[in-house]
Amino acid sequence: MSISIQNVCWSAGDTMIVDGVSLNVAAGKTLGLLGPNGSGKSSLLRLICRLRQVKSGVIKLGESDISTMARPEIARRLALVEQQATTDAEITVKDAVRLGRTPHRGALSPWDARDEAAVNAALGQVGMTSKATQLWRTLSGGERQRTHIARALAQTPTELLLDEPTNHLDIQHQLELLDLVTRLPVTSVIALHDLNLAAMFCDSLAVLQGGRVVAVGPPETVLTETLVRDVFGVRARIEKSAVHGRHHIQYFVG
């Protein structure tokens, strides 16, 4: 399903955090959200899944306006992986991933083979099968992040939102994770800090600054030396990679 964001605004008190944002993500494609800290990336993700109410504007999943959708309906189709998701519960990795099946089950529904298959598949996809019985509190930061992503995959969403999913991951797992997400048959929006990873894996990019979209389109047209300087405050040289054919950014100090 596609995601459509039309002139969306949201403020915290008197401060406008998301200011007139309009974006479209085609079904099955991946949009990378870029921008400095405080640019509105995380807030926009929470608006898409209705954890926050828009002040004005419309967000649609496919043809459905999310303001008219019941929360269980949204939960069955859209999964969010947040930056700081955590738990103090004494649970295993597999128990945490099982929570992803909650939207698909009634209060008295028994756990069935379809639920078990979804959980096992999700653990395998993020390389956490061998850790399934390990307690959550004993995991490293990277292992916790992969467990959160497995929980989202167990939800079997049609739309997937990820807020800085590569935090705490080493470079191997960063590459494996983004390769996995972009190959899934879902529509994805991923907030990222790493411009090179965004250029490698995203079909299109949207750059936010001060809550507004300042550039949107394919990576090769969005990521320019001028934009990197003006939005991120650093000098850069951008070349086409001989390895993956996408733009590669080199940064300079001074």
Side-chain angles (χ1 to χ4, degrees), residues 239-248:
E239 300 174 342
K240 187 174 181 179
S241 171
V243 177
H244 51 70
R246 296 289 188 102
H247 278 190
H248 178 76

Side-chain angles (χ1 to χ4, degrees), residues 178-212:
L178 291 176
D179 182 64
L180 164 65
V181 169
T182 55
R183 290 177 184 274
L184 292 170
V186 299
T187 305
S188 303
V189 181
I190 310 176
L192 290 166
H193 274 305
D194 192 311
L195 305 188
N196 282 313
L197 288 177
M200 285 177 64
F201 290 103
C202 297
D203 298 301
S204 59
L205 303 176
V207 182
L208 300 181
Q209 186 177 32
R212 297 182 177 182

Side-chain angles (χ1 to χ4, degrees), residues 25-101:
V25 191
K29 299 298 184 180
T30 298
L31 172 71
L33 281 183
L34 304 176
N37 288 337
S39 60
K41 302 187 300 295
S42 297
S43 295
L44 183 58
L45 292 179
R46 286 162 178 75
L47 290 168
I48 295 172
C49 59
R50 220 176 77 184
L51 288 180
R52 292 174 175 164
Q53 286 294 124
V54 300
K55 180 178 180 180
S56 61
V58 176
I59 299 175
K60 291 183 177 181
L61 302 181
E63 298 300 318
S64 303
D65 184 334
I66 64 164
S67 67
T68 66
M69 297 172 66
R71 290 194 179 276
E73 181 184 2
I74 296 174
R76 282 191 292 271
R77 60 181 290 178
L78 189 152
L80 169 67
V81 178
E82 299 189 83
Q83 287 187 54
Q84 304 297 331
T86 188
T87 179
D88 294 324
E90 190 80 353
I91 61 173
T92 66
V93 167
K94 193 166 188 176
D95 287 337
V97 177
R98 281 178 174 141
L99 295 174
R101 299 303 299 165

